[in-house]
Every structure is written in C-alpha cells, then in structure tokens.
Amino acid sequence: MNAVLLAGICWAIITYILTGPTHEDSRDIVLAAVLLAELIILGIALYFFIRNKEVQIWVSPSEFHYSDPVFGDYGFTASVNDITALRQIRSATNQYAEHIVEFKTGESKRIMYQNYSIDRQKLFDALQKANPSIIVPDGPWEYEITRPQWAHKVREKLNIDD
C-alpha cells in the first residue's frame, strides 16, 4: 500500500506542482528519489514476505509466552504468578503506544502486539483466568495516558485532573 501511495503522490507532484520547462531538473530528482524509495519499500515488503514470521503470544494456566521473531528474535516465557500487570500506555504528547508486562520483581518487559491481529480481549481474559490478581486494561483499546512532568505541573496549577 505504501508503494502505491508513494507512486500516486509522485504523480500528483509532477502533474500539478512541477509543471513547465523550468522544473525539468526537479522532476528528474523527484523521480529518482521516488524510484529509490519504491525499491526500498518493495525490498522490505519482500523481505517480510519471504521471512513470513509472526509474533506468538500464548497463556497457559502456569505460563505466559511472548515471541517476536521479526525484531531480533526477542521473546520470553514467565510464570503467570510472577506477573503483576499488563499495561497499555499512550503518550499524550506524541501518541506513542507501549505495551508492558510488569513483574513482582519490579522488572518490566515491552511486548509489541499492536500491529498484529491479536485478540486483545482474549489475551486479557486468559491472563485473568490464569492469575486473577494480574491487572489488565479495562478494554482492548483502553490506554493509560502519560504526560511529561512539566505538563503535570501546569495541569496542577490550572486545577485540571489527570
């Protein structure tokens, strides 16, 4: 989809913005840049298509397992009795989302399931079934909002609840 969108944007720029004989050099530069970007996008798509690996998450009565072979074969398995919470956090400033598993030891591990067709509610229900003391979000799309420290101070002075 990105490759098709990029080609459409390139066509629009050349057709509507870079018109006339004075922009011939600019058109060549835009075409070269778009061609390079298209090759990179299609190369990445081909790499992921050939690799064809996916995130795996499962919960048993005693264990939680997470495996992400796409990004450096990152993964872990932990006892559900060691987990205290699964938190979904979103930054108020840049909308960056994080998904974090917290442990009794104070350690936390990031997991990335937002780009995959993971049924979040089933994951939350399975964790609660394995260990009812695990804190999970209220819903699959419920996120805790985090703000920088300066924003907390401003909101406090303006008497706005966090």
Side-chain angles (χ1 to χ4, degrees):
M1 287 300 295
N2 288 336
V4 172
L5 181 63
L6 182 58
I9 290 170
C10 176
W11 173 81
I13 288 172
I14 290 172
T15 303
Y16 297 109
I17 297 173
L18 300 177
T19 58
T22 59
H23 294 290
E24 285 184 26
D25 291 338
S26 299
R27 278 191 291 246
D28 293 341
I29 292 170
V30 168
L31 282 173
V34 168
L35 180 60
L36 178 64
E38 289 281 353
L39 290 173
I40 291 169
I41 290 170
L42 292 174
I44 291 169
L46 183 63
Y47 169 76
F48 282 124
F49 180 76
I50 291 170
R51 191 150 185 225
N52 196 23
K53 294 185 177 181
E54 61 184 27
V55 165
Q56 295 179 352
I57 299 176
W58 52 262
V59 180
S60 75
S62 61
E63 288 184 325
F64 172 81
H65 174 78
Y66 173 78
S67 169
D68 189 349
V70 176
F71 295 101
D73 293 326
Y74 171 75
F76 63 91
T77 302
S79 169
V80 292
N81 293 327
D82 293 336
I83 299 172
T84 58
L86 171 63
R87 298 176 58 205
Q88 297 185 139
I89 303 167
R90 183 174 310 276
S91 168
T93 54
N94 62 10
Q95 298 301 309
Y96 178 73
E98 287 185 287
H99 306 88
I100 299 172
V101 177
E102 295 178 342
F103 298 93
K104 289 179 181 176
T105 61
E107 181 185 13
S108 63
K109 294 188 182 263
R110 285 185 65 203
I111 59 176
M112 294 177 54
Y113 54 68
Q114 67 270 22
N115 294 331
Y116 303 95
S117 59
I118 305 280
D119 187 335
R120 296 177 188 200
Q121 192 60 55
K122 279 187 179 179
L123 173 61
F124 300 164
D125 293 344
L127 282 170
Q128 288 271 273
K129 184 177 179 183
N131 181 354
S133 67
I134 296 175
I135 299 167
V136 296
D138 292 334
W141 304 104
E142 296 292 321
Y143 283 82
E144 300 172 35
I145 304 297
T146 61
R147 292 183 175 82
Q149 193 60 38
W150 64 266
H152 287 288
K153 291 177 182 175
V154 169
R155 291 175 67 82
E156 185 179 298
K157 287 185 183 202
L158 295 174
N159 218 12
I160 300 172
D161 292 332
D162 264 335

